[in-house]
Amino acid sequence: RPERHLAKLASVAEADLVCFGHVHIPYHRLVPLEDGSTAHFVSDGSVGRPKDGDPRACWAEVLIGGKAEVRGHAPQDTSVAAAGEGAAVGFLFHRAPYDAEAVADEVVEAGLPERFAEDLLSG
């Protein structure tokens, strides 16, 4: 989505932090707002049908605290920044293996399209 669209969503919701799913790609993105502040947008990844090349399940951990503390716990998050009144927000994305092959087999056995099973295995 274009930044202007995300900025409008954050403004309408009066939100400094917007968490969502269903895009199947984990990310944390800062979006500039009209008032000069920023809003955090985070996608939590996917437990099934990932679209980032990693078939493991993914989930997001929200970190809130002082900027140095959050950066210390989430050094790979390049979007750590203040949210609201001074607290910094960052995210850690965790991966967990699961038996994707067994789930893919069940998808095919259920009569669903084979591409759904392939998506589970390829990430």
Side-chain angles (χ1 to χ4, degrees), residues 6-89:
L6 296 176
K8 184 173 182 172
L9 288 173
S11 294
V12 168
E14 297 180 7
D16 297 319
L17 172 60
V18 180
C19 299
F20 55 94
H22 204 63
V23 295
H24 301 266
I25 299 171
Y27 68 85
H28 178 200
R29 180 175 170 191
L30 286 175
V31 174
L33 303 180
E34 287 183 14
D35 66 2
S37 65
T38 56
H40 297 260
F41 282 79
V42 65
S43 169
D44 61 356
S46 179
V47 172
R49 296 197 63 202
K51 296 180 181 177
D52 66 347
D54 189 335
R56 296 175 297 165
C58 182
W59 59 278
E61 176 183 0
V62 181
L63 302 170
I64 300 172
K67 194 169 189 176
E69 176 186 21
V70 173
R71 281 191 190 275
H73 289 289
Q76 77 288 356
D77 186 349
T78 59
S79 295
V80 171
E85 299 295 322
V89 174

